[in-house]
Amino acid sequence: MISTKLTVAGLQSAGSPANPEANLAELDQAAKRLAGQADLLITPELFVTGYDVGDRLPELVSAHHLDAVRAIAEQNKIAIIVGMAESVAAGELYNNAVFVDERGVVRGRHHKTHLFGEIDRAYFTPGSHAVTMVPYRGVNIAMMICYDVEFPENARMSALAGAHLLAVPTAQMTPFEFVADVVIRTRAWENQIYLAYINHDGVENATTYVGRSSIVGPDGGVLDRIESGTGTIIAEIDTDVVRSAQRANPYLTDTRPELNSALTAGGGCVTWSNNG
Amino acid sequence: MISTKLTVAGLQSAGSPANPEANLAELDQAAKRLAGQADLLITPELFVTGYDVGDRLPELVSAHHLDAVRAIAEQNKIAIIVGMAESVAAGELYNNAVFVDERGVVRGRHHKTHLFGEIDRAYFTPGSHAVTMVPYRGVNIAMMICYDVEFPENARMSALAGAHLLAVPTAQMTPFEFVADVVIRTRAWENQIYLAYINHDGVENATTYVGRSSIVGPDGGVLDRIESGTGTIIAEIDTDVVRSAQRANPYLTDTRPELNSALTAGGGCVTWSNNG
């Protein structure tokens, strides 16, 4: 098979809470800086509006924001996975990751399936598909949002479906540094795929973000990382590396789905030893 | 509910390859040292014979070894999870973790379900139950062996079944330090349970073990650990800590089994009763 490479960048930023125009301008500047260097730019979760912006969230949502992202992608010839709220069905607001290609065409959107805490539950309808995959220039890119990737089930299903890269806009806050530092590396290792985890930094209302965005390789090694502040990280995705890593550590073929029925709604059985 | 506490120890050791008598003597010494201090002692995988002992493995297996372990447990009033090969069905050899209580009674055994590499596949029949749970003095103890716990599916199923502690005899070798250092902490965190990962140290034939045994808490924090050499680690298991951790980080209730069908083979569920 042909080796396919893709250069992926992430924008970590405090953003401008409740100011979509300022955030879209920041995205445009990042896209201009990265044009010609990166093929794909990933933002944090709900980057367009900010995450903890209180009751103003629904009124900040506008279909025009996606048009602006599409224009930024097309003008800078860079694909973008943007975290934004969207009303894509009547009366339902979703916490989305939207994949826009370098021509400005929407190639897919992931509805956050695992809502976290009061903010998510107050505003959003949960998605009903754990895995959303966009094949892009030979690389299979699965998208998840924040809490989604903390569940190993989700990352595993994306890898079983053939993902090379798991792209995760997030709004990870204190005291969950452990997720950014340890869990993310495990998710990459246990599936032998790349993972890009792109977070906010700074403070919004009651929420203090932990920064610590990273791009991790299939061996769990950190390829690029930013601890705090605003900045971009960048790394190369190589499908050959995924292929050879998955051959060397064959978790995806050694897993035994016939033993996993306890993980589904059909229920399952476990063995208890009760004597004595 | 009543808080239940249990003190758990692990014996990391190079052991005496292919010398069951010497290994059982070492186990006896460890049990004597820990008597009155620990409630449960866990050994590495295949501790009785050694793991990489070549073609002599089958001839080293004897039912008398379990009798010796039972006597050690009873004499020192300490429960033991011992890693050993057993022929519990005609013509089938299993890589087992056997739970012997402080009266010397076998309370359960886990057959390694995920065979790793040439050694496992050359000698052992894979187990057919991902989760084996022993309720012991108010603590639900799930057993897995080495490669089993590298699959998040298995640890998740044990936690969904109510495990407080996941006890894992292992024979983890170079270059898999990442598993001992990072993956184990994630398994505890993502299920909010305790995990005891007890390894060999030193060299057997072509295998160099990585040591790094640890007992990890439900927050992913390391409670005790030994980097290399022979020694025991010890920590207290508290079911109240598990309960409050699982309330604070509700992965087990926020997981969405209705989205997880890709993790199963649609296989049926076999009820298995293991009376030792």
Side-chain angles (χ1 to χ4, degrees), chain A residues 92-242:
Chain A
E92 295 181 346
L93 198 61
Y94 290 93
N95 183 336
N96 278 348
V98 185
F99 193 117
V100 177
D101 74 13
E102 82 288 357
R103 295 166 302 160
V105 176
V106 173
R107 295 279 288 271
R109 46 168 57 81
H110 177 70
H111 299 184
K112 187 177 188 177
T113 52
H114 291 69
L115 300 183
F116 176 81
E118 292 179 14
I119 295 176
D120 270 358
R121 294 176 206 267
Y123 302 110
F124 298 114
T125 299
S128 52
H129 299 277
V131 177
T132 304
M133 187 97 78
V134 175
Y136 181 67
R137 295 170 58 178
V139 178
N140 294 333
I141 302 174
M143 297 186 285
M144 290 182 188
I145 301 174
C146 197
Y147 199 40
D148 289 340
V149 80
E150 298 181 35
F151 295 80
E153 297 92 330
N154 299 327
R156 174 66 96 221
M157 287 190 286
S158 77
L160 288 171
H164 300 108
L165 166 66
L166 186 45
V168 186
T170 192
Q172 189 57 280
M173 59 199 68
T174 57
F176 299 106
E177 292 86 349
F178 187 86
V179 174
D181 289 342
V182 181
V183 174
I184 292 309
R185 296 181 65 199
T186 300
R187 291 284 170 272
W189 163 270
E190 69 197 0
N191 296 295
Q192 307 282 325
I193 58 175
Y194 290 89
L195 200 155
Y197 188 72
I198 310 302
N199 198 13
H200 295 257
D201 189 59
V203 177
E204 279 179 341
N205 291 321
T207 302
T208 300
Y209 299 106
V210 303
R212 297 164 191 250
S213 299
S214 64
I215 303 175
V216 178
D219 64 353
V222 176
L223 300 172
D224 200 3
R225 182 176 195 273
I226 181 170
E227 180 79 15
S228 60
T230 291
T232 49
I233 55 176
I234 191 164
E236 188 179 73
I237 307 305
D238 183 339
T239 58
D240 261 0
V241 171
V242 173

Side-chain angles (χ1 to χ4, degrees), chain A residues 150 153 156 186 251 256 269, chain B residues 127 150 153 156 186 251 269:
Chain A
E150 298 181 35
E153 297 92 330
R156 174 66 96 221
T186 300
Y251 291 126
R256 297 184 57 192
C269 74
Chain B
E150 297 181 36
E153 297 91 331
R156 173 67 96 219
T186 299
Y251 291 126
C269 148

